[in-house]
Amino acid sequence: MNISFDNTENAFAYKSTKQLKRSRLLFKTMSYWLLAKAGVRLTPIIMKLGLPVKGLVRKTIFNQFVGGETLEETRAVENTLGKFGVKVILDYGVEGKEGEENFDNATREFIKVIDYAASEPNIPFISIKVTGIARFDLLQRLNEAPRIRSGVHDNEVEDEEWERVTDRMYTICQEASDRNVGVLVDAEESWIQDPVDRLTMDVMEEFNRDRVVVYNTIQLYRHDRLDFLKLSHRIAKSKGFMLGVKLVRGAYMEKERARAASKGYPSPIQADKAATDRDYNEALAYCIDNIDTIAIIVASHNDESNLLAAELLDKKGLAHNHPNIHFSQLYGMSDNITFNLAKAGFSVSKYLPFGPINDVIPYLMRRAQENSSVSGQTGRELSLIDKELKRRAGK
Ligand SMILES: Cc1cc2nc3c(=O)[nH]c(=O)nc-3n(C[C@H](O)[C@H](O)[C@H](O)COP(=O)(O)OP(=O)(O)OC[C@H]3O[C@@H](n4cnc5c(N)ncnc54)[C@H](O)[C@@H]3O)c2cc1C
C-alpha cells in the first residue's frame, strides 16, 4: 500500500503558514488540561450572558472546527477542500433546542441543507441528529418502554408526537432521495439509541432500494454493536434493501460510564480501548467483505483503522473510489489522514458543521474536551503541525 499518513506536505498544503501557526496556538492552548477544562465549563456560560467574546471564539476554535455561521459561508471551505479532492459532509450543527416549533424549523433547515448540497458539486452527504427533530425525553421513554411502540398503551399524546417525528424523518429522507444526497444519521447516547435505530432502519427500508440514501451510525465502543451491525445486515438482506452504515468508535464514553455507575447497571462500553479497536476493525472487515450489500463510511481519526480499510480494498482488488466506501474525518482534525487518502484516490470528506456561534457551542466544547489530553489527539495534531512548520522553514 503506497500511502503514508506522515506526509505533512500533502496534509497541510491547503493551509498557509500563518493559518498553521494559528492552529498550533489553539491546539497548544487546549493541551493545557486545566485551561481546557475551565474553557469548556465557562465558555457556554459566558456566551449565554452575552459577554463580548464572540469575536475571540470565532477567530480561534470556531474557525478551526466549523465551516461558518451560514450555509453560504461554508462555500469558501468547500472550495478550498475541493481543490485537493476532498469532499464535504454538511452538518447543521444546532444542538439541544427542544420544542415542536424548533423541531419543525430544524426539519426545514435540513431540507435547505439538502437542496444546497444538491446544487454543489462537492457535497455528497449531510448529517442529522434525531434529537434535532425529537424530544430527548420522548426518545428515552421509547427506549425504556418498547411496549409503548407496540401501540397497545393508553398514552395517545406520545403516539401522536412520535408520528410527527416519523413524518419529519420521512420528509427529510424523501427530499434527500429526490435530490440524490446521502443522509447520515448520527448515533447518540445509548439510552435513546433504540428508537433512533428503529426509525433509521425504517427509512433505510423505504429509501435504500436502488441505491443507498440513508446511513445509520454504529458505535463500536459499545460491546453489543458488532452483533447489532450483523443483525442489521441480516434484516436488510431479508427485506431486500441496502444497509448504509457509518462506523465510529463513539463520542460519549465518559457520560455512558458515569450514568451506568450512578444508576447501577452494567456499562454498555467495552472494557478497554483494545476491545473497541478490535471490534471497530472487525466491523470494517465485515462491511468490506459484504460491500455489495453494505455501503460504508469509515468515520475515524485512527491511522491503523484507516490504513486497514485502504489495505482491505487493495487486497480485494476493489477501486479506491468504490461507490460503497467513503472515508471521513472532522474538519480541523487529522488532515494527515484526509489529504493523504484523497491524494491516493480514495473518496474522502471532511465532516463540516455550520451554524450560529451560540448554537454550535456544544459541538465546540466536545472538540475541546477531545483535544485536551496531550497523550491523545492534541499530541498527534501538534507534532504533525510542528513537523510541517519545520519542513516549510527548511529545517
Ligand atoms: C465523520 C465522523 C462522524 C462521527 N459521528 C459520530 C456519531 O454519529 N456518534 C458518535 O458517538 N461519535 C461520532 N464521531 C466521533 C467518534 O465516535 C470518535 O469519538 C472519534 O472519532 C475518536 O475515535 P477514532 O476512531 O477517531 O479513534 P481513536 O482516537 O483511536 O479512539 C478514541 C476513541 O476510542 C474509544 N475509547 C477510548 N478509550 C477507551 C477505553 N478505555 N475503553 C473503550 N473505548 C475507548 C472512544 O470511543 C474514543 O473516542 C464521529 C467522528 C467522525 C470522524
Side-chain angles (χ1 to χ4, degrees):
M1 161 76 30
N2 189 19
I3 184 169
S4 160
F5 294 147
D6 295 333
N7 185 326
T8 57
E9 186 175 0
N10 289 341
F12 297 115
Y14 80 110
K15 279 198 167 174
S16 67
T17 300
K18 191 174 163 197
Q19 287 171 321
L20 261 186
K21 284 184 175 164
R22 262 200 207 151
S23 299
R24 188 184 188 285
L25 180 64
L26 179 70
F27 280 112
K28 192 87 198 154
T29 311
M30 290 191 298
S31 74
Y32 293 109
W33 183 78
L34 260 180
L35 212 62
K37 206 171 164 136
V40 167
R41 283 253 168 102
L42 293 177
T43 311
I45 299 168
I46 292 171
M47 295 292 287
K48 264 200 190 128
L49 290 174
L51 296 177
V53 290
K54 251 192 180 179
L56 182 67
V57 173
R58 183 183 242 291
K59 270 199 196 135
T60 54
I61 192 165
F62 184 90
N63 271 354
Q64 177 71 27
F65 296 114
V66 179
E69 290 206 73
T70 62
L71 260 182
E72 286 67 32
E73 275 180 30
T74 63
R75 188 173 278 125
V77 176
E78 182 205 338
N79 288 342
T80 306
L81 297 177
K83 283 183 199 146
F84 297 89
V86 174
K87 296 180 188 295
V88 163
I89 297 173
L90 265 185
D91 172 41
Y92 172 54
V94 174
E95 293 180 26
K97 282 196 170 176
E98 295 239 313
E100 293 295 297
E101 206 182 308
N102 279 325
F103 298 146
D104 288 337
N105 282 341
T107 306
R108 279 191 289 274
E109 201 60 41
F110 287 133
I111 303 277
K112 253 197 238 163
V113 181
I114 290 166
D115 293 343
Y116 179 81
S119 71
E120 294 290 303
N122 209 25
I123 314 179
F125 307 101
I126 72 148
S127 90
I128 68 167
K129 276 194 169 43
V130 172
T131 47
I133 57 169
R135 191 164 54 89
F136 194 95
D137 286 352
L138 174 71
L139 294 170
Q140 190 169 342
R141 257 178 73 81
L142 292 173
N143 200 83
E144 282 163 2
R147 177 186 68 82
I148 295 175
R149 290 196 300 245
S150 72
V152 187
H153 63 88
D154 55 8
N155 194 341
E156 284 186 12
V157 177
E158 283 191 343
D159 253 1
E160 285 166 15
E161 191 181 350
W162 181 242
E163 244 172 60
R164 286 195 295 276
V165 174
T166 308
D167 281 350
R168 290 180 191 118
M169 187 72 160
Y170 272 78
T171 307
I172 292 164
C173 295
Q174 183 66 61
E175 185 74 6
S177 176
D178 293 346
R179 307 297 308 263
N180 202 14
V181 172
V183 175
L184 314 184
V185 182
D186 279 358
E188 303 184 59
E189 291 86 346
S190 62
W191 54 99
I192 60 161
Q193 193 57 39
D194 277 2
V196 172
D197 288 335
R198 194 192 155 108
L199 183 56
T200 308
M201 283 298 272
D202 285 350
V203 280
M204 279 202 266
E205 185 176 349
E206 175 80 18
F207 296 102
N208 287 8
R209 292 279 163 189
D210 311 322
R211 66 202 151 86
V212 181
V213 175
V214 186
Y215 295 71
N216 199 9
T217 299
I218 314 281
Q219 297 162 312
L220 281 310
Y221 69 0
R222 283 181 56 174
H223 51 66
D224 62 343
R225 292 288 98 170
L226 186 57
D227 285 344
F228 172 74
L229 166 68
K230 293 176 182 172
L231 173 68
S232 302
H233 185 218
R234 275 200 302 278
I235 293 173
K237 277 200 297 191
S238 73
K239 293 191 172 178
F241 65 91
M242 286 276 297
L243 185 69
V245 288
K246 167 161 65 101
L247 299 180
V248 302
R249 280 180 169 75
Y252 308 95
M253 184 174 72
E254 269 101 37
K255 217 170 160 185
E256 290 282 356
R257 284 190 168 144
R259 185 174 191 269
S262 80
K263 294 196 177 274
Y265 60 84
S267 170
I269 303 298
Q270 307 265 18
D272 51 30
K273 172 82 161 60
T276 300
D277 292 346
R278 182 203 57 219
D279 275 13
Y280 190 93
N281 292 343
E282 231 178 90
L284 262 182
Y286 179 85
C287 290
I288 294 173
D289 275 345
N290 291 284
I291 201 159
D292 291 337
T293 45
I294 305 181
I296 318 138
I297 314 279
V298 184
S300 171
H301 301 137
N302 183 293
D303 290 10
E304 207 184 292
S305 295
N306 279 288
L307 262 186
L308 175 70
E311 277 165 9
L312 287 175
L313 284 186
D314 274 4
K315 253 193 207 150
K316 289 185 173 291
L318 298 167
H320 286 185
N321 64 349
H322 189 289
N324 286 354
I325 185 160
H326 192 91
F327 295 76
S328 183
Q329 289 76 43
L330 305 183
Y331 179 65
M333 287 167 72
S334 297
D335 289 339
N336 60 318
I337 296 178
T338 312
F339 288 86
N340 283 307
L341 281 174
K343 190 100 181 169
F346 292 93
S347 298
V348 58
S349 64
K350 283 296 194 191
Y351 186 96
L352 186 69
F354 76 94
I357 293 189
N358 278 321
D359 293 344
V360 298
I361 286 290
Y363 178 85
L364 289 177
M365 294 306 103
R366 277 208 299 284
R367 298 291 76 80
Q369 248 161 354
E370 194 170 22
N371 285 295
S372 66
S373 132
V374 185
S375 58
Q377 189 66 30
T378 308
R380 272 185 262 173
E381 300 292 349
L382 273 176
S383 66
L384 289 164
I385 294 174
D386 280 343
K387 185 177 167 197
E388 177 58 8
L389 286 172
K390 271 191 197 143
R391 194 196 64 78
R392 287 188 190 180
K395 284 182 194 163

